[in-house]
Amino acid sequence: MSTERSNQSNSNYEVNSYRSYGSIFDPLFSCGIYDYFSKSELNSVFSDPIMNHETAIRLSHFVYTKNGIVSNSVDYMTALPCLDRIVIPKSKLKLSTQRKIEKNKQMMISTLRSINDKQFIRDALFTEMLDGIAFYYFETKVSTADRTKFLTDYEVENIVEINEAGINAKIITLPWKYTKIVGKKNGRYVLAFNLRYFDDYTGEKRERKLKKYPDEIRNAYKEKQNRTGDWVVLNNDKTMCKKIKCKDTEPWGRSLIIAALEDVLYKDYFIDTKRNVLDELNSKIIYETFPEGKEKGTSALSKKQQEDQHHLVKQAVLNKQDRKKVNFFSVAAGTKIDSLDVSTDIFDDKNESNLSNQISLDLGICASLIGAMTTGNYGSSQSNLEMITAQLYTWVYEWQTELNYVINKNIIQDNKNKVEVYYFPTSFVNRKNFFDMMKGLYDVGGSLSFLIASTGVDIDAYLSTLDNEIDNGYFKKYLPHLTNSTISKDDAVTGRPVTDTPTENTIKSRENGGNNIPSPSDNK
């Protein structure tokens, strides 16, 4: 009877193990897509990104900010085109119209510089890739010379253009939340702007907002009280709009990022799983097995001995992080101390590399180009660059058409002597090949202007410098070194030297061309 009571009293004593409440890294990593977007919102974007364009655009901006592969791909594609340009007349050059066309060309060049056309096109490409659509307004007004030395709070707090007297041209970005395509006119989109945009502001803040927008929108807002309807249809000759990855009949475009969204979500889930495994490794599970008693399921230690040994081992394990101390403890014979192993196969770089490759392919860019993979084929990378360049310049030419239209309509205003800007299909990768092609055309009588522009140098700057060097006699003062490439038959650098004191016979030979008489040796 006493033996049975003793065995029952020596049964295993269960003590709660130590656990850590949270990690200091939890706030850093709790910023996944599901923390900001519900599952129903994601499903709506996958099913119909056009009708759910607002959620799609917000999601696109979030992924661009969070995912390095996506942001680098978009940034590289934005910077890839060189945007070297040349201004060309559309009508045949005649003597009577030469001065008009030259004047119109200078007006086009001046306007392009004023609006910083290269920066505008890069901004348009960037916006299209993120939002799927971009809206702009080409504002022109006659400005007076600004001699003001004192500025208002608004002028200090906001970026304000300060121009000399003349035509002030600038491009204003219209917010996608309050702008919409409502039709087409002469092949170009007609836009409408929602005036409720300004209702969210009052007083001075509203005035500041209104000053940033074109006169057409400001005047429409002032007249809003006398009219019904919140949307104002904008002047088609002043607006610019393009969309990508959609039909012409669809009111919104598709973001470049939407195609990669599924793989981005899966990679986020994969990385979160890796972090959980890493947490398991850092919070290692250590367990203790007491020595077994005579009967199975019982311990040779009493309840008090089990408690004392458990707390002793627990204290030693918790103090293990202090490297300046030596922790020593003893346990009863037969005690086993072990830990649960966690599989680390998920940390294989190959798994994550495959996901990075897939995201890059979804965006249409080879992973090796942005360093998302360790191996890559040079030939395939070059082919991918050519395809990316072709796609980008399809979009560039669309904005080229828009710029030509609004500048000719609002600045030049000469339908008989139109001029247009043309952007070369060159990138920072194929610029040398394009220059070699232009040089080949120039060698057979091609255009010098195209040859100069293909280098990326401004044509007017180059020719003005060349004219200045000719006027100053640079080419007479600084002759090129005589080599096989620069020497001619008129350069007296070979043969017998010319004497300064010729004899009478020498003079006669020169005058009658005696040295040019054929000799028998010429027929050999």
Side-chain angles (χ1 to χ4, degrees):
M1 189 73 177
S2 61
T3 304
E4 293 178 1
R5 289 179 179 174
S6 177
N7 289 337
Q8 290 176 357
S9 64
N10 292 342
S11 60
N12 291 333
Y13 174 69
E14 183 177 348
V15 182
N16 290 332
S17 60
Y18 171 79
R19 51 179 301 201
S20 173
Y21 294 94
S23 169
I24 61 173
F25 298 104
D26 288 346
L28 300 179
F29 297 138
S30 59
C31 56
I33 291 180
Y34 289 106
D35 294 322
Y36 297 90
F37 297 89
S38 64
K39 187 177 180 181
S40 61
E41 287 181 313
L42 295 176
N43 289 335
S44 67
V45 172
F46 283 125
S47 61
D48 193 349
I50 300 297
M51 293 301 297
N52 301 281
H53 62 275
E54 184 172 348
T55 304
I57 293 175
R58 289 193 299 110
L59 187 59
S60 177
H61 285 210
F62 180 84
V63 173
Y64 170 81
T65 304
K66 189 174 187 295
N67 189 282
I69 297 176
V70 172
S71 60
N72 286 333
S73 299
V74 172
D75 292 346
Y76 292 158
M77 293 173 72
T78 303
L80 186 60
C82 294
L83 299 178
D84 300 328
R85 56 173 165 81
I86 185 172
V87 176
I88 56 177
K90 293 302 293 180
S91 58
K92 189 174 181 180
L93 189 62
K94 298 179 182 178
L95 187 61
S96 59
T97 60
Q98 184 175 358
R99 294 183 62 182
K100 289 183 178 180
I101 291 178
E102 188 61 32
K103 178 184 176 182
N104 293 345
K105 285 178 63 177
Q106 294 304 318
M107 292 178 66
M108 171 67 78
I109 293 172
S110 177
T111 305
L112 293 174
R113 289 174 179 169
S114 177
I115 64 175
N116 197 346
D117 60 313
K118 293 186 179 181
Q119 181 181 356
F120 159 70
I121 290 183
R122 295 194 194 281
D123 180 75
L125 293 175
F126 179 82
T127 304
E128 276 185 317
M129 284 186 276
L130 254 64
D131 301 350
I133 194 169
F135 304 102
Y136 295 96
Y137 192 97
F138 186 79
E139 173 78 331
T140 57
K141 61 174 65 175
V142 178
S143 60
T144 56
D146 192 346
R147 303 285 190 264
T148 305
K149 297 297 181 182
F150 299 93
L151 301 176
T152 64
D153 291 340
Y154 166 75
E155 292 168 330
V156 171
E157 294 174 3
N158 297 272
I159 301 175
V160 180
E161 292 192 14
I162 302 176
N163 295 304
E164 295 299 324
I167 297 295
N168 177 9
K170 59 182 178 180
I171 294 178
I172 301 172
T173 304
L174 300 178
W176 59 267
K177 286 186 178 180
Y178 296 89
T179 312
K180 190 176 181 180
I181 297 175
V182 294
K184 294 191 75 174
K185 179 181 178 182
N186 298 328
R188 301 181 69 251
Y189 296 115
V190 178
L191 306 183
F193 187 82
N194 191 346
L195 298 174
R196 284 181 293 179
Y197 172 72
F198 301 105
D199 292 341
D200 295 335
Y201 306 93
T202 57
E204 186 180 353
K205 289 185 178 180
R206 178 184 293 173
E207 291 301 319
R208 290 183 179 180
K209 281 291 180 183
L210 285 169
K211 286 183 179 180
K212 292 182 179 181
Y213 283 85
D215 291 340
E216 184 180 3
I217 293 179
R218 289 202 298 268
N219 295 334
Y221 185 76
K222 292 177 182 178
E223 299 173 0
K224 179 185 174 184
Q225 296 178 352
N226 302 326
R227 297 181 181 180
T228 58
D230 296 317
W231 291 85
V232 56
V233 179
L234 302 177
N235 185 354
N236 180 248
D237 292 337
K238 292 179 175 290
T239 57
M240 295 182 288
C241 172
K242 288 297 175 183
K243 47 195 175 76
I244 64 172
K245 303 178 77 67
C246 65
K247 298 178 182 178
D248 187 59
T249 55
E250 292 177 323
W252 298 89
R254 291 175 177 83
S255 166
L256 192 70
I257 301 174
I258 296 299
L261 187 56
E262 184 176 0
D263 289 310
V264 169
L265 290 172
Y266 184 73
K267 186 176 182 181
D268 281 352
Y269 172 71
F270 180 81
I271 293 177
D272 287 341
T273 304
K274 286 177 63 174
R275 292 193 182 111
N276 293 334
V277 172
L278 187 62
D279 288 340
E280 290 183 19
L281 289 175
N282 291 334
S283 57
K284 201 170 186 178
I285 299 176
I286 299 175
Y287 64 92
E288 176 185 10
T289 305
F290 296 122
E292 192 174 8
K294 293 182 180 180
E295 296 183 9
K296 194 153 185 79
T298 62
S299 172
L301 303 180
S302 65
K303 181 178 180 180
K304 183 66 170 60
Q305 290 174 327
Q306 291 180 41
E307 290 179 358
D308 293 342
Q309 180 167 304
H310 173 82
H311 290 296
L312 184 67
V313 173
K314 173 184 173 182
Q315 194 64 31
V317 171
L318 294 181
N319 292 335
K320 183 180 65 172
Q321 295 179 354
D322 194 343
R323 299 180 179 180
K324 297 181 180 180
K325 291 183 179 180
V326 177
N327 298 314
F328 176 79
F329 63 93
S330 57
V331 295
T335 300
K336 295 179 180 179
I337 300 176
D338 207 345
S339 62
L340 296 179
D341 294 329
V342 179
S343 175
T344 59
D345 294 341
I346 196 173
F347 291 103
D348 192 342
D349 291 338
K350 179 176 64 177
N351 299 326
E352 190 166 354
S353 178
N354 292 336
L355 287 173
S356 300
N357 294 348
Q358 190 58 45
I359 294 175
S360 300
L361 292 176
D362 293 337
L363 296 172
I365 185 168
C366 184
S368 59
L369 294 177
I370 58 174
M373 60 184 295
T374 56
T375 60
N377 181 274
Y378 176 79
S380 61
S381 299
Q382 287 296 112
S383 299
N384 183 243
L385 273 175
E386 293 176 0
M387 290 186 289
I388 293 173
T389 303
Q391 177 65 80
L392 286 174
Y393 269 92
T394 301
W395 300 337
V396 169
Y397 290 148
E398 291 178 347
W399 289 109
Q400 170 187 300
T401 304
E402 292 288 273
L403 277 177
N404 286 326
Y405 182 86
V406 296
I407 293 176
N408 274 287
K409 273 287 184 180
N410 298 281
I411 301 294
I412 298 176
Q413 298 179 352
D414 187 355
N415 291 330
K416 293 182 179 180
N417 301 292
K418 286 184 178 181
V419 294
E420 292 186 353
V421 60
Y422 173 75
Y423 293 95
F424 291 154
T426 54
S427 67
F428 288 99
V429 179
N430 70 347
R431 172 184 272 176
K432 185 179 183 303
N433 295 335
F434 190 81
F435 171 78
D436 293 339
M437 184 170 64
M438 291 296 102
K439 186 176 183 298
L441 290 175
Y442 177 74
D443 291 340
V444 295
S447 169
L448 176 62
S449 296
F450 265 69
L451 178 63
I452 298 172
S454 65
T455 64
V457 177
D458 183 76
I459 298 175
D460 292 334
Y462 181 87
L463 294 179
S464 296
T465 304
L466 191 61
D467 290 339
N468 182 62
E469 291 177 353
I470 293 175
D471 294 340
N472 292 330
Y474 281 14
F475 297 101
K476 294 180 180 179
K477 294 179 183 178
Y478 311 107
L479 297 175
H481 295 289
L482 295 177
T483 63
N484 291 335
S485 301
T486 60
I487 197 171
S488 68
K489 64 178 182 179
D490 297 328
D491 295 316
V493 294
T494 59
R496 189 167 121 188
V498 179
T499 176
D500 293 333
T501 57
T503 63
E504 183 180 352
N505 292 331
T506 301
I507 294 174
K508 290 181 179 180
S509 297
R510 289 179 181 175
E511 291 178 352
N512 59 25
N515 291 333
N516 297 327
I517 298 176
S519 63
S521 61
D522 294 337
N523 297 326
K524 291 183 179 180

